[in-house]
Amino acid sequence: MGVEETVTRTDAETVHSVADGRAGRVALVTGCSSGIGRELALRLHEGGYRVFATARRPETLEGLTGKGIGTLELDVTDGASVDAVVASVRAAAGRIDLLINNAGYGAMGPVVEMPLAEVVRQFDTNVYGVVRLVQACAPLMRGQGGGVIVNIGSCSGILPTPFSGVYCASKAALHALDEVLRMELAPFGIQVMSVQPGAIESSFGDNAEASLARTLPPESMYAALREQILRRARASQSHPTSTAQFVTTLIAYLDRERLPPVVRIGKGHLGMPLLRLLLPARVREWLLGRVFGLRRARGAET
């Protein structure tokens, strides 16, 4: 039975069976101020999970609180904040069955000009933040006999592109960690699923474009390519897969007894890995260089 068929069945027996399977399960979701995280928190709650939604700015979670969802302030770059949130969930619910590491952002701009502080911030959020949550939740999951960890990566971690190198590197690092965590945590009944979205409707493009104020200096050696850099920042919001569709598909995977190790969902989720697999490095890099107009950076003709 396909994912879409599983999701769209509406007979009472199936609905009750799924709801019963989720009853009593506790989910901790990061990055719930908007987009994927917010939709996940709502849909998991509607599906029977006891959900704890987190965000760096607690005021962005007020709409969730009114629906009966637990909300907590969380800065994934702060170890004390992570420990406090996990302790609060444990005290309130006694367990964590599902951890979804969704918090993240994309720093855009040429690697050679990226302020080192921005590189550190990118990895601290997208990579180290995930490690902090996993290290805080895994002992609890082990003690309760198992659990599920879902880390939201990106197809950009498979096919790096110009002007998003630091972001792509952070997601590639996360994918590598997912693979190792899957092996290391399996003996304790903890499943780890790597979700590698394509283009999904969200505020990612706006946030990525805003990051250019910090990462692209006025005297940039790539100043002539500012439009191409902006286009890369906005790329994920060019006819993206809807957030609702993405979350529906993801939750259908979560309802499986045995999770797939890697899930790719959304526009471009097939094409980007195929380009990486089928094209030799020189051809791939020439093609991407042409798409992003890199020859213009040195004054040559395109």
Side-chain angles (χ1 to χ4, degrees), residues 57-289:
R57 293 183 294 119
E59 66 273 15
T60 63
L61 301 173
E62 290 176 0
L64 300 178
T65 305
K67 296 182 181 296
I69 296 172
T71 59
L72 295 163
E73 179 179 354
L74 172 63
D75 180 353
V76 300
T77 69
D78 182 343
S81 178
V82 168
D83 290 342
V85 162
V86 173
S88 293
V89 175
R90 183 173 188 171
R95 59 189 299 116
I96 296 175
D97 299 283
L98 172 62
L99 166 66
I100 301 183
N101 284 305
N102 169 71
Y105 81 102
M108 296 291 145
V111 174
V112 71
E113 295 177 340
M114 184 76 64
L116 188 57
E118 191 70 27
V119 177
V120 171
R121 178 183 178 190
Q122 180 72 105
F123 274 77
D124 205 8
T125 303
N126 290 8
V127 182
Y128 310 149
V130 171
V131 174
R132 290 184 184 100
L133 264 300
V134 170
Q135 290 183 343
C137 291
L140 177 57
M141 289 182 172
R142 178 195 176 193
Q144 69 198 26
V148 171
I149 296 171
V150 176
N151 293 331
I152 307 295
S154 172
C155 281
S156 293
I158 303 168
L159 183 71
T161 54
F163 310 129
S164 61
V166 172
Y167 171 70
C168 294
S170 73
K171 292 302 185 179
L174 180 57
H175 297 170
L177 286 169
D178 290 341
E179 191 167 341
V180 174
L181 285 169
R182 201 158 33 246
M183 294 184 283
E184 292 180 344
L185 293 176
F188 307 107
I190 302 172
Q191 297 187 70
V192 178
M193 186 168 75
S194 176
V195 180
Q196 300 170 4
I200 308 298
E201 176 188 22
S202 71
S203 58
F204 180 91
D206 292 337
N207 294 335
E209 185 174 340
S211 76
L212 292 175
R214 303 188 304 271
T215 63
L216 190 65
E219 67 280 7
S220 169
M221 67 175 77
Y222 299 93
L225 303 182
R226 183 172 181 81
E227 213 33 62
Q228 281 82 356
I229 297 172
L230 284 170
R231 189 173 68 197
R232 175 60 188 92
R234 301 171 184 145
S236 67
Q237 299 310 298
S238 176
H239 307 292
T241 296
S242 72
T243 307
Q245 182 180 340
F246 171 84
V247 169
T248 295
T249 305
L250 176 54
I251 289 178
Y253 281 112
L254 292 176
D255 285 330
R256 297 183 180 184
E257 184 176 345
R258 187 169 180 81
L259 304 183
V262 178
V263 170
R264 293 175 183 145
I265 309 168
K267 180 186 175 185
H269 80 275
L270 292 175
M272 294 176 74
L274 277 176
L275 283 175
R276 177 77 184 190
L277 179 66
L278 299 177
L279 294 183
R282 287 185 184 276
V283 175
R284 187 173 67 246
E285 290 168 11
W286 174 86
L287 178 62
L288 288 171

